[in-house]
Amino acid sequence: DIQMTQSPSSLSASVGDRVTITCQASQDISNCLNWYQQKPGKAPKLLIYDASNLETGVPSRFNGSGSGTDFTFTISSLQPEDIATYYCQQYNHLPRTFGPGTKVDIK
Amino acid sequence: QVQLQESGPGLVKPSQTLSLACTVSGGSISSGSYYWSWIRQPAGKGLEWIGRIYTSGSTNYNPSLKSRVTISVDTSKNQFSLKLSSVTAADTAVYYCAREVHFWSGDYYFDYWGQGTLVTVSS
């Protein structure tokens, strides 16, 4: 299985701050990476696919980059509604695997 | 608008079989290039992919669960199902059904999810 790691596991930032989350794959997955947002009690929601493509309807303050084994997810200006846990997920191989998540809070 | 809805018992006894169904509305389960998937999440933990079934009926399972999992589809009900046998407390989780779409470009992602259903394994 491809193992996914994320850092940090949690962070606290102020409204308007730039937030960065990193995701690392245990082997080269090219650009086969998605990012999801999960709010408490809700199903995950797709934000970014193919490492850097913004899903339709998702605000442009969300951004993804990277390829190979190292990926970055950025919120350019944190908003109160962005409070959630964010997961990366690889689709280069089966089984599909997710990172452990990064919980984002407002300071 | 496609919608997915999980259904099934919320409580299962240890050693028994967990059975869930996912009803798809707003589109046919047998059309398009979609994988119909099950994903679970223990309380306060991350997401674990269980397996999927393609519109053709072919399946893929997580090796960690493969010996206990069966995913099937009932096109007449526009529904797909999960069976997980010999459950233990470690199988207690919120179970999600989801649609994985794939493109000629090689991209895959989960675009529609059910709301999730909590299954507790306890005597």
Side-chain angles (χ1 to χ4, degrees), chain B residues 41-111:
Chain B
Q41 185 174 37
K45 296 189 177 181
L47 299 156
E48 180 181 31
W49 181 81
I50 299 170
R52 68 184 187 181
I53 188 164
Y54 192 51
T55 48
S56 65
S58 65
T59 54
N60 302 106
Y61 300 130
N62 192 322
S64 67
L65 298 167
K66 187 174 183 177
S67 63
R68 299 194 291 132
V69 173
T70 302
I71 297 175
S72 59
V73 65
D74 185 338
T75 55
S76 67
K77 295 181 179 179
N78 221 37
Q79 196 175 78
F80 64 107
S81 300
L82 169 70
K83 290 189 186 299
L84 181 65
S85 64
S86 305
V87 297
T88 69
D91 295 310
T92 294
V94 173
Y95 285 75
Y96 293 100
C97 56
R99 188 180 83 170
E100 185 180 29
V101 62
H102 71 98
F103 300 92
W104 62 268
S105 60
D107 295 336
Y108 292 73
Y109 52 78
F110 299 105
D111 59 348

Side-chain angles (χ1 to χ4, degrees), chain A residues 1 31-32 34 36 38 41-46 48-50 53 55 87 89 91 94-100, chain B residues 35 39 41 45-49 52 60-64 96 100 103 106-111 113-116:
Chain A
D1 297 6
N31 60 341
C32 300
N34 302 321
Y36 297 85
Q38 187 179 33
K42 300 294 186 182
K45 173 189 173 184
L46 177 71
I48 302 283
Y49 64 93
D50 190 29
N53 291 288
E55 170 68 338
Y87 294 93
Q89 175 246 326
Y91 60 89
L94 292 175
R96 302 299 191 227
T97 49
F98 294 83
Chain B
Y35 290 93
I39 295 162
Q41 185 174 37
K45 296 189 177 181
L47 299 156
E48 180 181 31
W49 181 81
R52 68 184 187 181
N60 302 106
Y61 300 130
N62 192 322
S64 67
Y96 293 100
E100 185 180 29
F103 300 92
D107 295 336
Y108 292 73
Y109 52 78
F110 299 105
D111 59 348
W113 298 66
Q115 65 187 24

Side-chain angles (χ1 to χ4, degrees), chain B residues 7-12 17-20 117-120:
Chain B
S7 59
L11 180 64
V12 181
T17 296
L18 177 160
S19 295
L20 295 174
T117 187
L118 174 62
V119 178
T120 302

Side-chain angles (χ1 to χ4, degrees), chain A:
Chain A
D1 297 6
I2 296 178
Q3 307 302 318
M4 307 299 294
T5 58
Q6 284 181 238
S7 63
S9 57
S10 65
L11 65 89
S12 190
S14 300
V15 172
D17 280 356
R18 182 181 185 87
V19 167
T20 299
I21 299 168
T22 62
C23 174
Q24 188 167 59
S26 60
Q27 63 188 73
D28 189 339
I29 58 169
S30 185
N31 60 341
C32 300
L33 187 99
N34 302 321
W35 289 96
Y36 297 85
Q37 175 193 65
Q38 187 179 33
K39 296 185 177 181
K42 300 294 186 182
K45 173 189 173 184
L46 177 71
L47 299 181
I48 302 283
Y49 64 93
D50 190 29
S52 61
N53 291 288
L54 195 67
E55 170 68 338
T56 302
V58 173
S60 59
R61 63 180 180 274
F62 295 101
N63 179 265
S65 65
S67 67
T69 60
D70 296 301
F71 301 86
T72 300
F73 173 82
T74 301
I75 307 173
S76 61
S77 177
L78 186 67
Q79 300 301 304
E81 61 267 31
D82 300 336
I83 299 314
T85 300
Y86 294 84
Y87 294 93
C88 59
Q89 175 246 326
Q90 67 80 23
Y91 60 89
N92 195 59
H93 287 292
L94 292 175
R96 302 299 191 227
T97 49
F98 294 83
T102 296
K103 188 174 182 180
V104 175
D105 251 325
I106 295 285
K107 193 182 292 182

